[in-house]
Amino acid sequence: FYEKYIKLADEYILEPFLREPLKEQYIKVKNLNENPEITTKAYLEKLENTSVEQLIDSILTTNKGKVIYLDCWATWCSPCREEMPHSKMLMEELNNEDIVYVFLCIDSEKHLWENSLAEFQLDGQHHFLTNKQSNDLRNSLDVKEIPHYFLINKDGIIVEKGSHLRPNDVKEKLLELLEK
């Protein structure tokens, strides 16, 4: 989309404080899409010696050979909570042992997380992250907004990430990853 309308963007977005971050984000996303192995390696290196390194390593090791749909959410986040029923429907619709649904609750209080789990009755792997783990996750994996999702292929490579990978919009991408 950015490539298609770059001339329009250059013509109408004149302020450097808007233009430069847009171009930087475009380059970052393009590099991720073109080189997911290198990008994943860089993310994993940033995780080294952090409080979430062992958790992420455990998730990747335990689910080796499976497609992982990882959801970063918070108990206080209305859009996150609104997506939970859609996640449940996606899980029921794609009832496949080779897809694993992992939910990382960040920036929340543990008792509210436990209440949410009881409320949503959602299968999958659920992890509560402490404030330190939440900060380390945000910084290491470049999670700037929530909900934030990761698509991880069978080889443990992050093939796509972002808030646009909502449960209603990700089914075809998950099916494609299963075929590879």
Side-chain angles (χ1 to χ4, degrees):
F1 183 81
Y2 182 80
E3 288 175 349
K4 184 176 179 180
Y5 295 104
I6 192 167
K7 289 181 183 179
L8 269 173
D10 286 342
E11 182 179 339
Y12 291 103
I13 302 175
L14 303 176
E15 298 295 331
F17 76 93
L18 293 173
R19 186 190 316 213
E20 295 308 314
L22 183 62
K23 286 183 180 180
E24 288 174 15
Q25 185 64 24
Y26 162 72
I27 290 168
K28 185 189 269 186
V29 170
K30 185 175 180 180
N31 286 336
L32 171 63
N33 290 339
E34 290 175 354
N35 305 300
E37 293 88 0
I38 293 170
T39 304
T40 299
K41 184 177 179 199
Y43 283 138
L44 294 177
E45 286 175 0
K46 284 174 69 176
L47 280 171
E48 287 180 7
N49 300 315
T50 68
S51 61
V52 290
E53 177 184 21
Q54 187 176 6
L55 172 64
I56 299 299
D57 184 54
S58 172
I59 290 168
L60 294 175
T61 302
T62 302
N63 300 303
K64 189 175 179 87
K66 297 181 180 187
V67 172
I68 302 171
Y69 182 54
L70 192 141
D71 178 344
C72 298
W73 69 286
T75 58
W76 48 265
C77 170
S78 294
C80 298
R81 296 179 64 81
E82 289 171 9
E83 292 300 331
M84 291 301 179
H86 300 288
S87 291
K88 190 171 190 170
M89 288 188 301
L90 176 68
M91 294 167 73
E92 290 170 357
E93 192 173 333
L94 294 181
N95 188 9
N96 186 313
E97 293 177 10
D98 289 334
I99 301 176
V100 177
Y101 302 87
V102 178
F103 299 88
L104 302 180
C105 183
I106 64 175
D107 302 325
S108 299
E109 295 181 32
K110 192 165 188 174
H111 74 278
L112 295 176
W113 169 67
E114 291 167 343
N115 292 344
S116 295
L117 291 181
E119 175 186 346
F120 293 123
Q121 294 294 305
L122 194 63
D123 285 336
Q125 299 173 13
H126 297 271
H127 302 276
F128 176 81
L129 277 64
T130 64
N131 286 337
K132 171 124 178 69
Q133 289 174 315
S134 296
N135 288 333
D136 286 347
L137 179 88
R138 284 180 175 281
N139 294 331
S140 301
L141 297 181
D142 200 27
V143 175
K144 294 194 180 349
E145 69 279 330
I146 55 172
H148 197 93
Y149 305 92
F150 292 83
L151 289 179
I152 303 171
N153 71 13
K154 294 176 184 180
D155 297 322
I157 304 297
I158 300 168
V159 295
E160 196 168 348
K161 68 185 246 18
S163 60
H164 66 284
L165 297 169
R166 307 275 172 125
N168 282 341
D169 303 321
V170 78
K171 179 181 172 184
E172 294 304 318
K173 292 180 183 210
L174 288 169
L175 291 173
E176 285 176 23
L177 289 175
L178 281 175
E179 293 175 6
K180 293 180 181 180

